[in-house]
Amino acid sequence: MTKHLVGAFVETLKDPLFVVKKRYKGEWQHVYYKPFKDENGHYHLASFILDKDGELVHKTFFEIENLSKIKELLKVPDANLLYMKQ
């Protein structure tokens, strides 16, 4: 993994846009989400990190051309929205 991607994962954990509790493969896990933008201010990548009992179990980046995955994450009951940046 390249150094800048490692930094992006750390930044996602430190300063997420939101964190939700969601079932993933049958188990409750925390999903940290933070979008990243380029030097022109356009959003291109987002980072998802699944955290199970304090252990990072899944990390991924994807292009933000399709917001359906993000919208789906926000369709959780209020009790499962653990953090939303103000």
Side-chain angles (χ1 to χ4, degrees):
M1 182 179 306
T2 63
K3 192 177 202 177
H4 70 279
L5 290 180
V6 171
F9 289 127
V10 170
E11 183 63 26
T12 301
L13 289 172
K14 284 181 168 179
D15 187 29
L17 182 60
F18 64 81
V19 180
V20 296
K21 181 172 80 169
K22 191 156 178 92
R23 286 207 177 268
Y24 180 75
K25 296 187 179 181
E27 297 185 41
W28 285 106
Q29 296 183 7
H30 296 152
V31 180
Y32 295 74
Y33 168 75
K34 179 177 180 106
F36 290 89
K37 54 186 168 178
D38 66 11
E39 62 278 356
N40 297 318
H42 298 109
Y43 289 97
H44 290 286
L45 294 173
S47 174
F48 277 95
I49 298 175
L50 297 176
D51 172 2
K52 180 182 175 192
D53 300 324
E55 179 183 342
L56 301 180
V57 293
H58 181 72
K59 301 173 275 196
T60 188
F61 277 98
F62 68 95
E63 290 195 44
I64 298 187
E65 293 175 7
N66 183 347
L67 295 177
S68 64
K69 189 178 258 189
I70 298 164
K71 289 178 184 177
E72 185 66 30
L73 280 174
L74 290 172
K75 291 181 183 177
V76 297
D78 287 346
N80 291 0
L81 179 61
L82 304 176
Y83 172 78
M84 176 71 76
K85 189 171 187 173
Q86 298 294 320

Coordinates of all heavy atoms in Angstrom, one line a residue:
M1 N 0.8 -1.2 0.0 CA 0.0 0.0 0.0 C 0.9 1.2 0.0 O 1.9 1.3 0.7 CB -0.9 0.0 1.2 CG -1.8 1.1 1.3 SD -2.9 1.1 2.8 CE -3.6 -0.5 2.6
T2 N 0.5 2.2 -0.8 CA 1.4 3.4 -0.9 C 1.2 4.3 0.4 O 0.1 4.2 1.0 CB 1.0 4.2 -2.1 OG1 -0.3 4.6 -2.1 CG2 1.3 3.4 -3.4
K3 N 2.2 5.1 0.6 CA 2.2 5.9 1.8 C 1.0 6.8 1.9 O 0.4 7.0 3.0 CB 3.5 6.7 1.9 CG 3.8 7.3 3.2 CD 5.2 8.0 3.1 CE 5.7 8.2 4.4 NZ 7.1 8.8 4.3
H4 N 0.6 7.5 0.8 CA -0.5 8.4 0.8 C -1.8 7.7 1.1 O -2.7 8.3 1.8 CB -0.6 9.3 -0.4 CG -1.0 8.5 -1.6 ND1 -0.2 7.8 -2.4 CD2 -2.2 8.5 -2.2 CE1 -0.8 7.2 -3.4 NE2 -2.1 7.7 -3.3
L5 N -2.0 6.5 0.7 CA -3.3 5.8 1.0 C -3.3 5.4 2.5 O -4.4 5.5 3.2 CB -3.4 4.5 0.2 CG -3.7 4.8 -1.3 CD1 -3.8 3.5 -2.0 CD2 -4.9 5.6 -1.5
V6 N -2.2 5.0 3.1 CA -2.1 4.8 4.5 C -2.5 6.0 5.3 O -3.3 6.0 6.2 CB -0.7 4.3 5.0 CG1 -0.6 4.2 6.5 CG2 -0.4 2.9 4.3
G7 N -2.0 7.2 4.9 CA -2.3 8.4 5.5 C -3.8 8.7 5.4 O -4.4 9.3 6.4
A8 N -4.4 8.4 4.3 CA -5.9 8.7 4.1 C -6.7 7.8 5.1 O -7.7 8.3 5.6 CB -6.3 8.4 2.7
F9 N -6.3 6.6 5.3 CA -7.0 5.7 6.2 C -6.9 6.3 7.6 O -7.9 6.3 8.4 CB -6.5 4.3 6.2 CG -6.8 3.5 4.9 CD1 -5.9 2.9 4.2 CD2 -8.1 3.5 4.5 CE1 -6.2 2.2 3.0 CE2 -8.5 2.8 3.3 CZ -7.5 2.2 2.6
V10 N -5.7 6.7 8.0 CA -5.5 7.3 9.3 C -6.4 8.6 9.5 O -7.1 8.8 10.5 CB -4.0 7.6 9.6 CG1 -3.9 8.4 10.9 CG2 -3.2 6.3 9.7
E11 N -6.4 9.4 8.5 CA -7.2 10.6 8.5 C -8.7 10.3 8.6 O -9.5 11.0 9.2 CB -6.9 11.4 7.2 CG -7.6 12.8 7.2 CD -7.3 13.7 8.3 OE1 -6.1 13.6 8.8 OE2 -8.1 14.6 8.6
T12 N -9.1 9.2 7.9 CA -10.5 8.8 8.0 C -10.9 8.4 9.4 O -12.0 8.8 9.9 CB -10.8 7.6 7.1 OG1 -10.5 8.0 5.7 CG2 -12.3 7.2 7.1
L13 N -10.0 7.8 10.1 CA -10.3 7.4 11.5 C -10.2 8.6 12.4 O -11.0 8.7 13.4 CB -9.2 6.4 12.0 CG -9.4 5.0 11.4 CD1 -8.2 4.1 11.8 CD2 -10.7 4.3 11.9
K14 N -9.3 9.5 12.2 CA -9.2 10.7 13.1 C -10.3 11.7 12.9 O -10.7 12.4 13.8 CB -7.9 11.4 12.8 CG -6.7 10.7 13.3 CD -5.5 11.6 13.0 CE -4.2 11.2 13.8 NZ -3.1 12.0 13.4
D15 N -10.7 11.9 11.6 CA -11.7 13.0 11.3 C -12.7 12.6 10.3 O -12.8 13.1 9.2 CB -10.9 14.2 10.8 CG -11.7 15.4 10.6 OD1 -12.7 15.6 11.3 OD2 -11.4 16.2 9.7
P16 N -13.6 11.6 10.6 CA -14.6 11.1 9.7 C -15.7 12.1 9.5 O -15.9 13.0 10.4 CB -15.1 9.8 10.3 CG -14.9 10.1 11.8 CD -13.7 10.9 11.9
L17 N -16.4 12.0 8.4 CA -17.6 12.8 8.2 C -18.7 12.2 9.0 O -19.5 12.9 9.6 CB -17.9 12.9 6.7 CG -19.1 13.7 6.3 CD1 -19.0 15.2 6.7 CD2 -19.4 13.6 4.8
F18 N -18.8 10.9 9.0 CA -19.7 10.2 9.8 C -19.3 8.8 10.1 O -18.4 8.3 9.5 CB -21.1 10.2 9.3 CG -21.3 9.4 8.0 CD1 -21.5 8.1 8.0 CD2 -21.4 10.1 6.7 CE1 -21.6 7.4 6.8 CE2 -21.5 9.4 5.6 CZ -21.7 8.0 5.6
V19 N -19.8 8.3 11.2 CA -19.6 6.9 11.6 C -20.9 6.3 11.9 O -21.8 6.8 12.7 CB -18.7 6.8 12.9 CG1 -18.5 5.4 13.3 CG2 -17.4 7.5 12.7
V20 N -21.2 5.1 11.3 CA -22.4 4.4 11.6 C -22.1 3.0 12.1 O -21.1 2.4 11.8 CB -23.3 4.3 10.3 CG1 -23.8 5.7 9.9 CG2 -22.7 3.6 9.2
K21 N -23.1 2.4 12.8 CA -23.0 1.0 13.2 C -23.9 0.3 12.2 O -25.1 0.6 12.1 CB -23.5 0.9 14.6 CG -23.4 -0.6 15.2 CD -23.7 -0.6 16.6 CE -25.2 -0.5 16.9 NZ -25.5 -0.8 18.3
K22 N -23.4 -0.7 11.6 CA -24.2 -1.4 10.5 C -23.8 -2.9 10.5 O -22.6 -3.2 10.8 CB -23.8 -0.8 9.2 CG -24.7 -1.2 8.1 CD -24.7 -0.1 7.0 CE -25.6 -0.6 5.8 NZ -26.9 -0.1 5.9
R23 N -24.7 -3.7 10.1 CA -24.4 -5.1 10.0 C -23.6 -5.4 8.7 O -23.9 -4.8 7.7 CB -25.7 -6.0 10.0 CG -26.3 -6.1 11.3 CD -27.1 -7.4 11.4 NE -27.6 -7.5 12.7 CZ -27.0 -8.2 13.7 NH1 -25.9 -8.8 13.5 NH2 -27.6 -8.3 14.9
Y24 N -22.5 -6.1 8.8 CA -21.7 -6.4 7.7 C -21.3 -7.9 7.8 O -20.7 -8.3 8.8 CB -20.4 -5.6 7.6 CG -19.5 -5.8 6.5 CD1 -19.8 -5.4 5.2 CD2 -18.3 -6.5 6.7 CE1 -18.9 -5.7 4.2 CE2 -17.5 -6.8 5.6 CZ -17.8 -6.4 4.4 OH -16.9 -6.6 3.3
K25 N -21.8 -8.7 6.8 CA -21.6 -10.1 6.9 C -22.1 -10.7 8.2 O -21.4 -11.5 8.8 CB -20.1 -10.5 6.6 CG -19.6 -10.1 5.2 CD -18.2 -10.6 5.0 CE -17.8 -10.2 3.6 NZ -16.5 -10.6 3.2
G26 N -23.3 -10.2 8.6 CA -23.9 -10.8 9.8 C -23.5 -10.3 11.1 O -24.0 -10.6 12.1
E27 N -22.5 -9.4 11.2 CA -21.9 -8.9 12.4 C -22.0 -7.4 12.5 O -21.9 -6.7 11.5 CB -20.5 -9.3 12.6 CG -20.3 -10.9 12.7 CD -18.9 -11.2 12.9 OE1 -18.2 -10.6 13.8 OE2 -18.4 -12.2 12.3
W28 N -22.2 -6.8 13.7 CA -22.2 -5.4 13.9 C -20.8 -4.9 13.8 O -19.9 -5.4 14.4 CB -22.8 -5.0 15.2 CG -24.2 -5.2 15.3 CD1 -24.9 -6.1 15.9 CD2 -25.2 -4.3 14.7 NE1 -26.3 -6.0 15.8 CE2 -26.5 -4.8 15.0 CE3 -25.1 -3.2 13.9 CZ2 -27.7 -4.3 14.6 CZ3 -26.3 -2.6 13.4 CH2 -27.5 -3.1 13.8
Q29 N -20.6 -3.8 12.9 CA -19.3 -3.2 12.8 C -19.5 -1.7 12.6 O -20.6 -1.2 12.3 CB -18.6 -3.8 11.6 CG -18.3 -5.2 11.7 CD -17.5 -5.8 10.6 OE1 -17.1 -5.1 9.7 NE2 -17.4 -7.1 10.6
H30 N -18.5 -0.9 12.9 CA -18.5 0.5 12.7 C -18.0 0.8 11.3 O -16.9 0.3 10.9 CB -17.7 1.2 13.8 CG -18.2 1.0 15.1 ND1 -17.4 1.1 16.2 CD2 -19.5 0.8 15.6 CE1 -18.2 0.9 17.3 NE2 -19.4 0.7 16.9
V31 N -18.6 1.7 10.6 CA -18.2 2.2 9.3 C -17.8 3.6 9.4 O -18.6 4.5 9.8 CB -19.2 2.0 8.2 CG1 -18.7 2.4 6.9 CG2 -19.7 0.5 8.1
Y32 N -16.5 4.0 9.2 CA -16.0 5.3 9.2 C -16.0 5.8 7.7 O -15.5 5.1 6.9 CB -14.6 5.4 9.7 CG -14.5 5.0 11.1 CD1 -14.6 3.7 11.6 CD2 -14.2 6.0 12.1 CE1 -14.4 3.4 12.9 CE2 -14.1 5.7 13.4 CZ -14.2 4.3 13.8 OH -14.1 4.0 15.1
Y33 N -16.6 7.0 7.5 CA -16.6 7.5 6.1 C -16.0 8.9 6.0 O -16.3 9.8 6.9 CB -18.0 7.5 5.6 CG -18.2 8.3 4.3 CD1 -17.7 7.7 3.1 CD2 -18.7 9.6 4.3 CE1 -17.8 8.5 1.9 CE2 -18.8 10.3 3.1 CZ -18.3 9.8 1.9 OH -18.4 10.5 0.8
K34 N -15.2 9.2 5.1 CA -14.6 10.5 4.8 C -14.4 10.6 3.3 O -13.7 9.8 2.7 CB -13.3 10.7 5.6 CG -12.7 12.1 5.4 CD -11.5 12.3 6.2 CE -10.9 13.7 5.9 NZ -11.2 14.6 7.0
P35 N -14.9 11.7 2.7 CA -14.6 11.9 1.3 C -13.3 12.7 1.2 O -12.9 13.4 2.1 CB -15.7 12.8 0.8 CG -16.2 13.5 2.0 CD -15.9 12.6 3.2
F36 N -12.6 12.5 0.1 CA -11.3 13.2 -0.2 C -11.5 13.9 -1.5 O -12.1 13.5 -2.5 CB -10.2 12.2 -0.3 CG -9.8 11.6 1.0 CD1 -10.4 10.5 1.5 CD2 -8.9 12.2 1.9 CE1 -10.1 9.9 2.7 CE2 -8.6 11.7 3.1 CZ -9.2 10.5 3.5
K37 N -10.9 15.1 -1.6 CA -11.0 15.9 -2.8 C -9.6 16.3 -3.3 O -8.6 16.3 -2.6 CB -11.8 17.2 -2.6 CG -11.4 18.1 -1.4 CD -12.4 19.2 -1.3 CE -12.2 19.9 0.1 NZ -13.1 21.0 0.2
D38 N -9.6 16.6 -4.6 CA -8.3 16.9 -5.3 C -7.9 18.4 -5.1 O -8.7 19.1 -4.4 CB -8.3 16.5 -6.8 CG -9.3 17.4 -7.6 OD1 -9.9 18.4 -7.1 OD2 -9.6 17.0 -8.7
E39 N -6.9 18.8 -5.7 CA -6.4 20.2 -5.5 C -7.3 21.2 -6.1 O -7.3 22.4 -5.7 CB -5.0 20.3 -6.2 CG -4.9 20.1 -7.7 CD -4.8 18.6 -8.1 OE1 -4.7 17.8 -7.2 OE2 -4.9 18.4 -9.3
N40 N -8.3 20.8 -6.9 CA -9.3 21.8 -7.5 C -10.6 21.8 -6.7 O -11.5 22.4 -7.0 CB -9.6 21.4 -8.9 CG -8.4 21.5 -9.8 OD1 -7.6 22.5 -9.7 ND2 -8.2 20.6 -10.7
G41 N -10.6 21.0 -5.6 CA -11.8 20.9 -4.8 C -12.9 20.0 -5.2 O -14.0 20.0 -4.6
H42 N -12.6 19.2 -6.2 CA -13.6 18.2 -6.7 C -13.4 16.9 -5.9 O -12.3 16.4 -5.7 CB -13.4 17.9 -8.2 CG -13.6 19.1 -9.0 ND1 -12.6 19.8 -9.6 CD2 -14.7 19.9 -9.2 CE1 -13.0 20.8 -10.3 NE2 -14.3 20.9 -10.0
Y43 N -14.5 16.3 -5.5 CA -14.5 15.0 -4.8 C -14.3 13.9 -5.8 O -15.0 13.8 -6.8 CB -15.8 14.8 -4.0 CG -15.9 15.7 -2.8 CD1 -16.6 16.9 -2.8 CD2 -15.2 15.4 -1.6 CE1 -16.6 17.7 -1.7 CE2 -15.3 16.2 -0.5 CZ -16.0 17.4 -0.5 OH -16.0 18.2 0.5
H44 N -13.3 13.1 -5.5 CA -13.1 11.9 -6.4 C -13.0 10.6 -5.6 O -13.4 9.6 -6.2 CB -11.7 12.1 -7.1 CG -11.8 13.2 -8.1 ND1 -12.4 13.1 -9.3 CD2 -11.3 14.5 -8.1 CE1 -12.3 14.2 -10.0 NE2 -11.6 15.1 -9.3
L45 N -12.6 10.6 -4.4 CA -12.4 9.3 -3.7 C -13.1 9.4 -2.3 O -13.1 10.5 -1.7 CB -10.9 9.0 -3.5 CG -10.1 8.7 -4.7 CD1 -8.6 8.5 -4.3 CD2 -10.6 7.4 -5.4
A46 N -13.5 8.3 -1.9 CA -14.0 8.2 -0.5 C -13.3 7.0 0.2 O -12.9 6.1 -0.5 CB -15.5 8.0 -0.5
S47 N -13.2 7.1 1.5 CA -12.6 6.0 2.2 C -13.6 5.4 3.1 O -14.3 6.1 3.9 CB -11.4 6.5 3.0 OG -10.9 5.5 3.8
F48 N -13.8 4.1 3.1 CA -14.6 3.3 4.1 C -13.7 2.5 4.9 O -12.8 1.8 4.4 CB -15.6 2.4 3.4 CG -16.8 3.0 2.9 CD1 -16.9 3.5 1.6 CD2 -17.9 3.2 3.8 CE1 -18.1 4.1 1.2 CE2 -19.1 3.8 3.3 CZ -19.1 4.2 2.0
I49 N -13.9 2.5 6.2 CA -13.1 1.6 7.1 C -14.1 0.9 8.0 O -14.9 1.6 8.7 CB -12.1 2.4 7.9 CG1 -11.1 3.1 7.0 CG2 -11.4 1.5 8.9 CD1 -10.1 4.0 7.7
L50 N -14.1 -0.4 8.0 CA -14.9 -1.2 8.9 C -14.1 -1.5 10.1 O -13.0 -2.0 10.0 CB -15.4 -2.5 8.3 CG -16.4 -2.2 7.1 CD1 -16.7 -3.6 6.4 CD2 -17.6 -1.5 7.5
D51 N -14.6 -1.3 11.3 CA -13.9 -1.5 12.6 C -14.7 -2.5 13.4 O -15.9 -2.2 13.7 CB -13.8 -0.1 13.3 CG -13.3 -0.2 14.7 OD1 -12.9 -1.3 15.1 OD2 -13.2 0.8 15.3
K52 N -14.1 -3.6 13.7 CA -14.8 -4.6 14.5 C -14.0 -4.8 15.8 O -12.8 -5.3 15.7 CB -14.9 -6.0 13.7 CG -15.5 -7.0 14.5 CD -15.6 -8.3 13.8 CE -16.1 -9.4 14.7 NZ -15.9 -10.7 14.1
D53 N -14.6 -4.4 16.9 CA -13.9 -4.5 18.2 C -12.5 -3.9 18.2 O -11.6 -4.4 18.7 CB -13.8 -6.0 18.6 CG -15.1 -6.7 18.7 OD1 -16.1 -6.1 19.1 OD2 -15.2 -7.9 18.3
G54 N -12.4 -2.7 17.6 CA -11.2 -2.0 17.6 C -10.1 -2.4 16.6 O -9.1 -1.9 16.5
E55 N -10.5 -3.4 15.8 CA -9.5 -4.0 14.8 C -10.0 -3.6 13.4 O -11.2 -3.8 13.1 CB -9.5 -5.5 14.9 CG -8.5 -6.1 13.9 CD -8.6 -7.6 14.0 OE1 -9.0 -8.2 15.0 OE2 -8.1 -8.3 13.0
L56 N -9.2 -3.0 12.6 CA -9.6 -2.7 11.2 C -9.6 -4.0 10.4 O -8.7 -4.7 10.2 CB -8.6 -1.7 10.6 CG -8.4 -0.4 11.3 CD1 -7.4 0.5 10.6 CD2 -9.7 0.3 11.5
V57 N -10.8 -4.2 9.9 CA -11.0 -5.5 9.2 C -11.2 -5.3 7.7 O -11.1 -6.3 6.9 CB -12.2 -6.3 9.8 CG1 -11.8 -6.8 11.2 CG2 -13.5 -5.6 9.8
H58 N -11.6 -4.1 7.3 CA -11.8 -3.9 5.8 C -11.6 -2.4 5.5 O -12.1 -1.6 6.2 CB -13.2 -4.3 5.5 CG -13.6 -4.1 4.1 ND1 -13.1 -5.0 3.1 CD2 -14.4 -3.2 3.4 CE1 -13.6 -4.6 1.9 NE2 -14.3 -3.5 2.1
K59 N -10.8 -2.2 4.5 CA -10.5 -0.8 4.1 C -10.6 -0.7 2.6 O -10.2 -1.6 1.9 CB -9.1 -0.4 4.5 CG -8.8 -0.5 6.0 CD -7.3 -0.2 6.3 CE -6.6 -1.5 6.1 NZ -5.3 -1.6 6.7
T60 N -11.3 0.3 2.2 CA -11.4 0.5 0.7 C -11.6 1.9 0.3 O -12.0 2.8 1.1 CB -12.7 -0.3 0.2 OG1 -12.7 -0.3 -1.2 CG2 -14.0 0.3 0.7
F61 N -11.2 2.2 -0.9 CA -11.4 3.5 -1.5 C -12.3 3.3 -2.7 O -12.2 2.2 -3.4 CB -10.1 4.2 -2.0 CG -9.4 4.9 -1.0 CD1 -8.3 4.3 -0.3 CD2 -9.7 6.2 -0.7 CE1 -7.6 5.0 0.7 CE2 -9.0 6.9 0.3 CZ -7.9 6.3 1.0
F62 N -13.1 4.2 -3.1 CA -13.9 4.1 -4.3 C -14.2 5.5 -4.8 O -14.1 6.5 -4.1 CB -15.2 3.4 -4.1 CG -16.2 4.2 -3.2 CD1 -17.2 5.0 -3.8 CD2 -16.1 4.1 -1.8 CE1 -18.1 5.7 -3.0 CE2 -17.0 4.8 -1.1 CZ -18.0 5.6 -1.7
E63 N -14.5 5.6 -6.1 CA -14.7 6.9 -6.7 C -16.2 7.3 -6.4 O -17.1 6.5 -6.2 CB -14.6 6.9 -8.2 CG -13.1 6.7 -8.6 CD -12.9 7.0 -10.1 OE1 -13.4 8.0 -10.6 OE2 -12.1 6.2 -10.7
I64 N -16.4 8.6 -6.2 CA -17.7 9.1 -5.7 C -18.6 9.5 -6.9 O -19.5 10.2 -6.7 CB -17.5 10.4 -4.8 CG1 -16.7 10.0 -3.6 CG2 -18.8 11.0 -4.4 CD1 -16.6 11.1 -2.6
E65 N -18.5 8.9 -8.0 CA -19.4 9.1 -9.1 C -20.8 8.6 -8.7 O -21.8 9.1 -9.3 CB -18.9 8.4 -10.4 CG -17.6 9.0 -10.9 CD -17.0 8.3 -12.0 OE1 -17.7 7.4 -12.6 OE2 -15.9 8.6 -12.5
N66 N -20.9 7.6 -7.9 CA -22.1 7.0 -7.5 C -22.3 7.2 -6.0 O -21.6 6.6 -5.2 CB -22.1 5.6 -7.9 CG -23.5 4.9 -7.6 OD1 -24.3 5.4 -6.9 ND2 -23.7 3.7 -8.2
L67 N -23.3 7.9 -5.5 CA -23.5 8.2 -4.1 C -24.4 7.2 -3.5 O -24.7 7.3 -2.3 CB -24.0 9.6 -3.9 CG -23.1 10.7 -4.3 CD1 -23.8 12.1 -4.2 CD2 -21.8 10.7 -3.5
S68 N -24.8 6.2 -4.2 CA -25.8 5.2 -3.6 C -25.3 4.5 -2.4 O -26.0 4.3 -1.4 CB -26.3 4.2 -4.7 OG -25.2 3.4 -5.1
K69 N -24.0 4.2 -2.3 CA -23.4 3.5 -1.2 C -23.4 4.4 0.1 O -23.8 3.9 1.2 CB -22.0 3.0 -1.5 CG -21.4 2.1 -0.5 CD -20.0 1.7 -0.9 CE -20.0 0.3 -1.4 NZ -18.7 -0.2 -1.6
I70 N -23.2 5.7 -0.1 CA -23.2 6.6 1.0 C -24.6 6.8 1.5 O -24.9 6.8 2.7 CB -22.5 7.9 0.5 CG1 -21.1 7.7 0.2 CG2 -22.6 9.0 1.6 CD1 -20.5 8.8 -0.6
K71 N -25.5 7.0 0.5 CA -26.9 7.2 0.9 C -27.5 6.0 1.7 O -28.2 6.1 2.6 CB -27.8 7.4 -0.3 CG -27.5 8.8 -0.9 CD -28.4 9.0 -2.2 CE -28.1 10.3 -2.9 NZ -28.8 10.4 -4.2
E72 N -27.1 4.8 1.3 CA -27.5 3.6 1.9 C -27.0 3.5 3.4 O -27.7 3.1 4.3 CB -27.0 2.3 1.2 CG -27.5 1.0 1.7 CD -29.0 0.9 1.6 OE1 -29.6 1.4 0.7 OE2 -29.6 0.2 2.5
L73 N -25.8 4.0 3.6 CA -25.2 4.0 4.9 C -26.0 4.9 5.9 O -26.1 4.7 7.0 CB -23.7 4.4 4.9 CG -22.7 3.4 4.5 CD1 -21.3 4.0 4.4 CD2 -22.7 2.2 5.5
L74 N -26.4 6.0 5.3 CA -27.2 7.0 6.1 C -28.6 6.6 6.4 O -29.3 7.3 7.1 CB -27.1 8.4 5.5 CG -25.7 9.0 5.5 CD1 -25.6 10.3 4.7 CD2 -25.2 9.3 7.0
K75 N -29.1 5.5 5.8 CA -30.4 5.1 6.0 C -30.5 4.1 7.2 O -31.2 3.1 7.2 CB -31.0 4.3 4.8 CG -31.2 5.2 3.6 CD -31.8 4.4 2.5 CE -32.0 5.3 1.3 NZ -32.5 4.5 0.1
V76 N -29.7 4.4 8.3 CA -29.7 3.6 9.5 C -30.6 4.3 10.5 O -30.9 5.5 10.5 CB -28.3 3.5 10.1 CG1 -27.4 2.7 9.1 CG2 -27.7 4.8 10.5
P77 N -31.1 3.5 11.5 CA -31.9 4.2 12.6 C -31.0 5.2 13.3 O -29.8 5.0 13.3 CB -32.3 3.0 13.5 CG -32.1 1.8 12.6 CD -31.1 2.1 11.6
D78 N -31.6 6.2 13.9 CA -30.9 7.2 14.6 C -29.9 6.6 15.6 O -28.8 7.1 15.8 CB -31.8 8.2 15.3 CG -32.5 9.1 14.4 OD1 -32.1 9.2 13.2 OD2 -33.5 9.8 14.8
A79 N -30.3 5.5 16.3 CA -29.4 4.9 17.3 C -28.1 4.3 16.7 O -27.1 4.2 17.4 CB -30.1 3.8 18.0
N80 N -28.1 4.1 15.4 CA -27.0 3.5 14.7 C -26.1 4.6 14.1 O -25.0 4.2 13.6 CB -27.4 2.5 13.6 CG -28.0 1.2 14.3 OD1 -28.0 1.1 15.5 ND2 -28.4 0.3 13.4
L81 N -26.5 5.8 14.1 CA -25.6 6.9 13.6 C -24.8 7.3 14.8 O -25.3 8.0 15.8 CB -26.5 8.1 13.1 CG -25.7 9.3 12.6 CD1 -24.7 8.9 11.5 CD2 -26.6 10.4 12.2
L82 N -23.6 6.9 14.9 CA -22.7 7.1 16.1 C -22.1 8.5 16.1 O -21.7 9.0 17.2 CB -21.7 6.0 16.1 CG -22.2 4.6 16.2 CD1 -21.0 3.6 16.1 CD2 -23.1 4.4 17.3
Y83 N -21.8 9.1 14.9 CA -21.2 10.4 14.8 C -21.5 11.0 13.5 O -21.5 10.3 12.5 CB -19.6 10.2 15.0 CG -18.8 11.4 14.7 CD1 -18.7 12.4 15.7 CD2 -18.2 11.6 13.5 CE1 -18.0 13.6 15.4 CE2 -17.5 12.8 13.2 CZ -17.4 13.8 14.2 OH -16.7 14.9 14.0
M84 N -21.7 12.3 13.5 CA -21.9 13.1 12.3 C -21.2 14.4 12.5 O -21.5 15.1 13.5 CB -23.4 13.4 12.0 CG -23.6 14.2 10.8 SD -23.2 13.5 9.2 CE -24.6 12.4 8.9
K85 N -20.2 14.7 11.7 CA -19.5 16.0 11.8 C -20.4 17.2 11.6 O -21.2 17.2 10.7 CB -18.3 16.0 10.8 CG -17.4 17.1 11.0 CD -16.2 16.9 10.1 CE -15.1 18.0 10.4 NZ -13.9 17.7 9.7
Q86 N -20.2 18.1 12.5 CA -21.1 19.4 12.4 C -20.4 20.4 11.5 O -19.3 20.6 11.4 CB -21.2 20.0 13.8 CG -21.9 19.0 14.7 CD -23.4 18.8 14.3 OE1 -24.1 19.7 13.9 NE2 -23.8 17.5 14.4

